[in-house]
Amino acid sequence: MKDFSELSERELLALAISLEEEDARIYGDFAEGLVADFPASAAVFRGMSREEDGHRHRLLELYKERFGDHVPLINRHVVRGFIRRRPVWLSRPLALETVRKQAEAMEAETRRFYERAAGRATDASIRQLLGDLAAEERRHEHVAGQLEAKHVPAKVQAREGEDERRLFVLQIVQPGLAGLMDGSVSTLAPLFAAAFATHDSFDTFLVGLAASVGAGISMGFAEALSDDGSLTGRGRPWLRGLVCGGMTALGGLGHTLPYLIPDFRVATGIAIAVVAVELAVISWIRHRFMDTPLLSSAFQVVVGGVLVFLTGILIGSA
């Protein structure tokens, strides 16, 4: 890698051209990734992509005038000091807030580059252009604000915010809630049946562990294979499967772990308290994200949980 201070003026211009080309393509990817769910914000990033293209053309014109047609291959990856960017633009679906934060970081980094490059340039025309571009990058946030005001007025922002919340519910909350409910409720019967049949904490722990992990694997595959998300908009199947499977296992492990305590009665008392907390959390999530009335949600979840709990105790005590 080369240090920034080692770059010649020719290399500085070549690097600037590469940066502008990369940023334009990233903004284009942002626009393409957002257009299906957030068309107004996609228009903002298309405008920003055109801005970066304009900068690249000006840099190319000056480069050809000073150094000829051949532009050496030099980019951010061979120069020390640049921030390593996470390729969020490759993810689908794109999160609107993540994209906006990434764009702000890109603009700030590019502005700092132009300020440092202008300070090192000795050629008057190169120094002027780099200084002008640094000033334009400082104004770029204002340009982005103008584009956003044009394409994303307050009503559209509110609608896009609601769309993003809906996607979050579809892709994360729903599979996670389904897993948490299954793990918290379905494992109650085998766990407490084993507890009251054996009165042995460690044996009960092994049954609960097997039930929780097995349920997590089963629910994870079931969710991942249920649909590919292309029609329902529920996102990547493997992500939903991981969320659902992980929350299923977590829901079962919550009231299984107390049975690592050797004293059976103490372990059972703590496990029952954990179950109450789990059911309360499930009720709150349904109320918060599914718009289910809190009392109605609590009643439905508690009744189901108590029935499964009593089933386990009755079978284990038989």
Side-chain angles (χ1 to χ4, degrees), residues 166-287:
R166 178 182 58 81
L167 290 173
F168 176 71
V169 170
L170 281 174
Q171 297 166 6
I172 302 296
V173 175
Q174 280 188 355
L177 180 60
L180 185 60
M181 291 178 65
D182 186 85
S184 298
V185 176
S186 69
T187 57
L188 290 177
L191 180 76
F192 286 102
F196 283 86
T198 65
H199 289 270
D200 183 279
S201 287
F202 189 68
D203 287 346
T204 302
F205 170 77
L206 291 179
V207 171
L209 180 63
S212 301
V213 174
I217 294 172
S218 175
M219 285 291 289
F221 274 102
E223 178 62 36
L225 297 175
S226 61
D227 69 75
D228 62 4
S230 59
L231 295 179
T232 60
R234 298 180 68 214
R236 293 186 175 185
W238 63 265
L239 176 60
R240 298 197 325 269
L242 285 175
V243 171
C244 185
M247 293 305 292
T248 301
L250 181 64
L253 289 173
H255 45 258
T256 296
L257 291 176
Y259 283 99
L260 288 172
I261 299 172
D263 190 305
F264 170 76
R265 289 185 176 82
V266 173
T268 300
I270 295 175
I272 292 173
V274 171
V275 170
V277 172
E278 290 171 347
L279 297 180
V281 169
I282 291 170
S283 300
W284 180 83
I285 292 174
R286 294 186 69 205
H287 170 67

Side-chain angles (χ1 to χ4, degrees), residues 1-248:
M1 296 183 72
K2 296 191 71 171
D3 190 80
F4 185 83
S5 61
E6 299 172 353
L7 299 178
S8 66
E9 291 185 340
R10 182 186 185 209
E11 290 171 332
L12 285 173
L13 280 182
L15 178 58
I17 291 167
S18 173
L19 290 176
E20 294 292 357
E21 182 176 10
E22 180 182 343
D23 287 356
R25 294 183 67 177
I26 290 173
Y27 287 140
D29 286 340
F30 284 162
E32 190 272 335
L34 293 171
V35 69
D37 298 313
F38 310 107
S41 287
V44 171
F45 285 106
R46 278 195 294 270
M48 294 177 71
S49 179
R50 288 192 293 270
E51 286 280 323
E52 303 299 341
D53 273 333
H55 293 176
R56 181 172 60 89
H57 286 304
R58 289 162 62 188
L59 287 163
L60 275 169
E61 288 174 2
L62 180 58
Y63 183 92
K64 289 179 180 180
E65 177 185 324
R66 293 285 288 106
F67 302 109
D69 291 334
H70 175 70
V71 181
L73 178 59
I74 179 170
N75 54 40
R76 64 186 5 261
H77 304 295
V78 299
V79 178
R80 294 188 188 92
F82 282 98
I83 298 170
R84 181 70 62 179
R85 293 176 182 167
R86 291 190 306 111
V88 298
W89 51 91
L90 298 179
S91 303
R92 293 294 186 275
L94 284 175
L96 190 57
E97 189 59 30
T98 300
V99 167
R100 287 175 176 164
K101 288 180 179 178
Q102 178 80 49
E104 290 175 3
M106 289 166 57
E107 291 167 13
E109 185 182 41
T110 303
R111 173 180 54 79
R112 288 194 296 270
F113 162 74
Y114 280 130
E115 288 172 346
R116 291 185 62 194
R120 291 195 60 244
T122 57
D123 182 278
S125 58
I126 295 176
R127 188 183 184 93
Q128 179 179 346
L129 178 58
L130 293 176
D132 289 345
L133 291 177
E136 289 181 24
E137 290 296 335
R138 282 194 292 271
R139 294 196 300 269
H140 212 161
E141 185 175 351
H142 178 61
V143 172
Q146 289 180 325
L147 290 169
E148 188 153 347
K150 176 181 177 182
H151 295 286
V152 195
K155 289 183 179 180
V156 175
Q157 288 185 24
R159 186 176 69 246
E160 288 190 346
E162 183 59 32
D163 289 343
E164 188 167 26
R165 179 183 181 277
R166 178 182 58 81
L167 290 173
F168 176 71
V169 170
L170 281 174
Q171 297 166 6
I172 302 296
V173 175
Q174 280 188 355
L177 180 60
L180 185 60
M181 291 178 65
D182 186 85
S184 298
V185 176
S186 69
T187 57
L188 290 177
L191 180 76
F192 286 102
F196 283 86
T198 65
H199 289 270
D200 183 279
S201 287
F202 189 68
D203 287 346
T204 302
F205 170 77
L206 291 179
V207 171
L209 180 63
S212 301
V213 174
I217 294 172
S218 175
M219 285 291 289
F221 274 102
E223 178 62 36
L225 297 175
S226 61
D227 69 75
D228 62 4
S230 59
L231 295 179
T232 60
R234 298 180 68 214
R236 293 186 175 185
W238 63 265
L239 176 60
R240 298 197 325 269
L242 285 175
V243 171
C244 185
M247 293 305 292
T248 301

